[in-house]
Amino acid sequence: MENRKEYEEVSMPRSLRHKDVICFAILAVVITLIPVFVESKYHLIVLNIIGLNTIVVVGLNLLIGFAGQISLGHAAFYGLGSYFSGILTVNYGFPHWPAMVVAMVTTGGIAYLIGYPALKLRGHYLVMATLGFGIIINILMGELEQFTGGHDGLIGIPPLSIGSLTFDNDLKSFYLIWTFVFFCMLAARNLLRSRVGRALRAIHGSEVAANSLGVNTASYKVKVFVLSAMFASVSGSLYAHYITFISPSTYDFYYSIQVVTMVIVGGMGSLWGSLFGAAVLSLISEALHVAKQYHVIAYGVFLSLMLIFLPEGVLVSIHHFYQNRKLKKLLAAEKGGLTG
Amino acid sequence: MGLSEQIAQFIITGLSIGAIYAIVAMGFNIIHNATGVVNFVQCEFISLGGMFMYTLVVLLRVPMFISFFMSMAAVALIGALIERGPIRYARSKEIIILIFLTIGLSGTLRGTAQQIWGTDNVGVPAFSGENPIHLPVGATLLPQHIWVFGVTVLVMLALRHFFKNTMSGKAMRATAVNRKAAALVGVSVDRMVMLSFALSGALGAVAGMIIAPISTTSYDTGIMLGLKGFAAAILGGYGSFSGAIIGGIMLGVLESLGAGLISSQYKDVIAFLVLLLVLFLRPTGIMGHGESERV
């Protein structure tokens, strides 16, 4: 059973390919139509935040779910994207699109410098290295005042624009952000269906086995790390231009934890799960603000219960539940057939 | 005060904070050896130790000596309960899931502590006297610093005795080396894992209590101390006991020197930068022999 499933995954029958196309088509339609039904400004803002988180989570899921590496420092890459975009456009008058590309490339470069030695580290050493890096970057955001505006933050970041179209309200930003979400997910999906994707999955299964079959595991891990940092950077840039104000507290240790939680809740190694995880946790985080001072407890309890009872993520758990039921029905039917 | 006196002062401060990191690192190591998990609840053990101490000594006026052991026992109990409840009943035994479970539990405890004690920083009286002692090198020392060093040395000696000479200690070491083999020779692995959580709870509480009179305490003091303790454990070589001591002292002294001589704002940057450099140059930590892979 298990082996067959794996085989089908790898060989990708036509039906599955169609399934993906249909899913992406549905996503496109939903993105186009949502603003028709959503009128309140607040709901649009929440949706935009979900979109931004999704981009980070999709990238991070490539690293955690497929390459099997944990990063507790992704807030740093998200922040680097925001701050490079913000500083270049505000302090140096850079045009925004090139600034975003510079941010992405520079963040990728920094991720390479961190990742190259860090990914040679195994297990908890990598957790510590990324965690430490995240804390360093977060402190620098507050302390390098002449560039970053310090703890008060950086204000007046211009909104993005194409020609005469300026993305200066929540609705326009919605379409911009979700277009990015769509293409990021498409890119991730294509990557996973390629040779690289199969290599990554092999690394997750067993690094030793993958290595002995000729997969250069170290190089793949670094590449995925850099890629996921670039995803985070793009999202960070979009955030900066959308909110037009950034400050260090957005990019603290808790953000790093939050995005990894989204990966886990959505299901490690599940592309659509990333979207789901980002949506559910962003919504819950918003909803829990109602609980005000109990916010910390509520979030902690939620996360704990989730991980105790649904450790594979909600979507995968539901999927397994239905499969088990189907299997039980089948077995029951077979039994009935035998006795009857 | 001349430069050499200043440096002496920074080193003394660094040694005392380093001792705290070493105790915390020890807590991380014990749980790592028993389960392979990074237990982020360790941060809360430190805060809880400090806050229990505050409640008993300042609010309830229980004598210092008794309070110390009561707080230690209370946090050890919380540690044991955490293992006995959520960790043991978690459906997945995957390490990454368990690590995030400890982050969730840590949030739950921190939130609860915030509700009970509020967000203010509170002081705890020193164990004995507040009069600074002037050392011949020109630096001054608080009596509490001596308590920090003394308690740390005692804790280390006690742990050494426990792991070398007692049956439970040996059983815990056996569990760390090979769970299955330990179970086969009659070690109750479950009980050893629970004991390791209780033990690291007690260690966290001790760290929180001895530092509280120097730096005050609050519901979330444990976060930074805990993360630095984790850093110290990694720096020394994760799972290594002598590494925890070396890592803790090194981190504490470097951080204190960096804060004093370079800039206090960059204190944490310096600490973590040193950590990253050491990891990149010596990926297994100073005393580590490379992490055993669980295949």
Side-chain angles (χ1 to χ4, degrees):
Chain A
M1 261 308 270
E2 204 57 45
N3 282 336
R4 222 184 110 175
K5 212 180 109 205
E6 289 287 304
Y7 172 73
E8 277 176 5
E9 272 274 280
V10 173
S11 69
M12 263 293 284
R14 205 154 263 254
S15 65
L16 217 76
R17 232 178 270 181
H18 283 307
K19 223 179 185 175
D20 258 2
V21 172
I22 293 169
C23 282
F24 273 102
I26 293 174
L27 179 65
V29 173
V30 170
I31 291 174
T32 322
L33 289 183
I34 274 185
V36 179
F37 301 104
V38 177
E39 277 162 11
S40 108
K41 184 177 152 68
Y42 171 69
H43 290 156
L44 269 179
I45 294 175
V46 174
L47 283 170
N48 289 343
I49 295 295
I50 292 176
L52 292 168
N53 285 337
T54 304
I55 298 175
V56 181
V57 174
V58 166
L60 192 60
N61 209 341
L62 291 176
L63 182 73
I64 297 177
F66 294 95
Q69 306 297 312
I70 311 171
S71 162
L72 279 185
H74 257 55
F77 301 122
Y78 185 59
L80 284 174
S82 292
Y83 270 93
F84 278 132
S85 271
I87 291 170
L88 287 175
T89 50
V90 174
N91 298 357
Y92 299 101
F94 249 63
H96 36 243
W97 290 110
M100 196 164 156
V101 174
V102 171
M104 189 179 84
V105 173
T106 317
T107 307
I110 294 173
Y112 182 80
L113 290 180
I114 291 294
Y116 182 72
L119 288 163
K120 283 188 184 156
L121 310 172
R122 283 177 197 287
H124 305 324
Y125 290 85
L126 179 65
V127 173
M128 186 68 239
T130 49
L131 194 159
F133 173 70
I135 293 177
I136 292 174
I137 295 294
N138 194 229
I139 295 174
L140 290 182
M141 285 171 187
E143 298 303 333
L144 294 175
E145 259 173 62
Q146 63 272 42
F147 300 109
T148 63
H151 292 283
D152 299 333
L154 196 63
I155 49 170
I157 301 164
L160 287 165
S161 62
I162 302 173
S164 60
L165 173 65
T166 308
F167 299 96
D168 53 0
N169 66 22
D170 295 311
L171 182 64
K172 288 181 198 164
S173 299
F174 173 86
Y175 282 115
L176 177 73
I177 289 168
W178 281 89
T179 308
F180 268 93
V181 173
F182 184 84
F183 284 108
C184 282
M185 288 188 67
L186 200 61
R189 181 256 178 211
N190 284 341
L191 182 80
L192 290 174
R193 295 298 181 215
S194 70
R195 218 175 80 94
V196 180
R198 288 191 293 276
L200 290 179
R201 226 167 303 169
I203 295 174
H204 189 41
S206 162
E207 205 177 321
V208 181
N211 227 333
S212 65
L213 286 171
V215 177
N216 187 349
T217 52
S219 134
Y220 272 115
K221 284 195 289 186
V222 177
K223 281 178 192 157
V224 169
F225 186 67
V226 170
L227 186 70
S228 76
M230 284 165 123
F231 269 55
S233 167
V234 168
S235 178
S237 296
L238 287 172
Y239 174 86
H241 289 294
Y242 168 47
I243 303 287
T244 71
F245 162 75
I246 49 178
S247 72
S249 61
T250 315
Y251 312 99
D252 59 6
F253 179 51
Y254 293 102
Y255 186 77
S256 294
I257 290 179
Q258 239 192 343
V259 281
V260 182
T261 314
M262 287 173 188
V263 171
I264 294 175
V265 169
M268 286 182 273
S270 154
L271 181 62
W272 295 98
S274 303
L275 177 62
F276 180 81
V280 167
L281 273 175
S282 307
L283 284 176
I284 284 177
S285 187
E286 278 303 316
L288 287 181
H289 278 300
V290 180
K292 283 190 185 115
Q293 75 266 41
Y294 300 106
H295 183 245
V296 184
I297 303 186
Y299 194 80
V301 171
F302 169 79
L303 180 58
S304 307
L305 290 179
M306 185 68 220
L307 291 176
I308 294 172
F309 296 109
L310 300 173
E312 296 145 316
V314 176
L315 279 190
V316 181
S317 297
I318 293 174
H319 183 69
H320 278 183
F321 177 74
Y322 276 105
Q323 268 195 335
N324 278 345
R325 229 174 54 169
K326 238 200 246 164
L327 205 70
K328 265 186 199 153
K329 257 191 201 160
L330 227 86
L331 282 175
E334 232 167 63
K335 235 185 194 169
L338 280 177
T339 51
Chain B
M1 201 155 69
L3 189 66
S4 63
E5 283 94 9
Q6 270 187 345
I7 289 177
Q9 188 68 57
F10 296 144
I11 289 177
I12 286 173
T13 321
L15 283 175
S16 69
I17 191 79
I20 305 290
Y21 294 160
I23 297 180
V24 179
M26 214 62 126
F28 273 108
N29 279 340
I30 288 173
I31 288 185
H32 170 75
N33 287 346
T35 63
V37 168
V38 182
N39 172 37
F40 281 103
V41 187
Q42 191 73 41
C43 301
E44 263 43 62
F45 292 158
I46 306 167
S47 312
L48 286 175
M51 293 315 284
F52 279 142
M53 188 75 170
Y54 162 75
T55 311
L56 289 169
V57 174
V58 179
L59 301 181
L60 302 176
R61 305 204 177 282
V62 178
M64 192 69 98
F65 188 70
I66 301 170
S67 306
F68 186 86
F69 287 100
M70 277 174 76
S71 311
M72 203 168 106
V75 180
L77 183 69
I78 291 175
L81 287 177
I82 277 181
E83 195 283 327
R84 195 69 191 77
I87 302 274
R88 193 171 295 187
Y89 289 103
R91 286 213 180 148
S92 164
K93 298 293 171 217
E94 234 186 288
I95 301 287
I96 173 174
I97 300 283
L98 290 179
I99 293 178
F100 272 79
L101 180 53
T102 67
I103 292 180
L105 293 170
S106 152
T108 312
L109 280 179
R110 186 166 57 248
T112 314
Q114 187 190 0
Q115 288 311 309
I116 298 174
W117 289 291
T119 53
D120 293 337
N121 270 46
V122 290
V124 174
F127 290 10
S128 65
E130 307 258 355
N131 298 329
I133 304 157
H134 294 276
L135 294 182
V137 283
T140 53
L141 192 66
L142 289 174
Q144 188 64 29
H145 283 128
I146 298 175
W147 277 105
V148 169
F149 298 134
V151 171
T152 307
V153 170
L154 274 181
V155 164
M156 296 304 166
L157 289 177
L159 278 178
R160 194 186 136 88
H161 174 75
F162 175 74
F163 281 109
K164 280 244 155 108
N165 302 332
T166 68
M167 205 58 200
S168 302
K170 286 179 187 167
M172 271 176 78
R173 271 166 55 211
T175 312
V177 174
N178 187 333
R179 275 185 165 214
K180 226 173 242 169
L184 280 175
V185 296
V187 173
S188 166
V189 171
D190 277 353
R191 194 181 301 163
M192 289 309 133
V193 172
M194 189 168 93
L195 189 61
S196 69
F197 271 81
L199 201 56
S200 69
L203 286 174
V206 168
M209 286 187 287
I210 55 181
I211 194 74
I214 299 177
S215 62
T216 73
T217 182
S218 73
Y219 79 104
D220 66 351
T221 27
I223 298 179
M224 245 326 168
L225 285 175
L227 292 181
K228 296 271 188 60
F230 179 36
I234 291 279
L235 191 60
Y238 210 29
S240 152
F241 281 13
S242 49
I245 301 172
I246 295 173
I249 300 286
M250 203 175 128
L251 199 64
V253 171
L254 281 174
E255 178 188 302
S256 173
L257 283 175
L261 299 177
I262 302 171
S263 145
S264 62
Q265 281 116 321
Y266 290 109
K267 188 178 84 167
D268 295 339
V269 174
I270 295 164
F272 285 111
L273 216 52
V274 169
L275 174 82
L276 286 183
L277 282 179
V278 172
L279 278 188
F280 293 162
L281 296 175
R282 205 180 143 72
T284 51
I286 296 165
M287 299 295 286
H289 307 292
E291 194 160 318
S292 57
E293 279 281 289
R294 282 159 196 260
V295 180

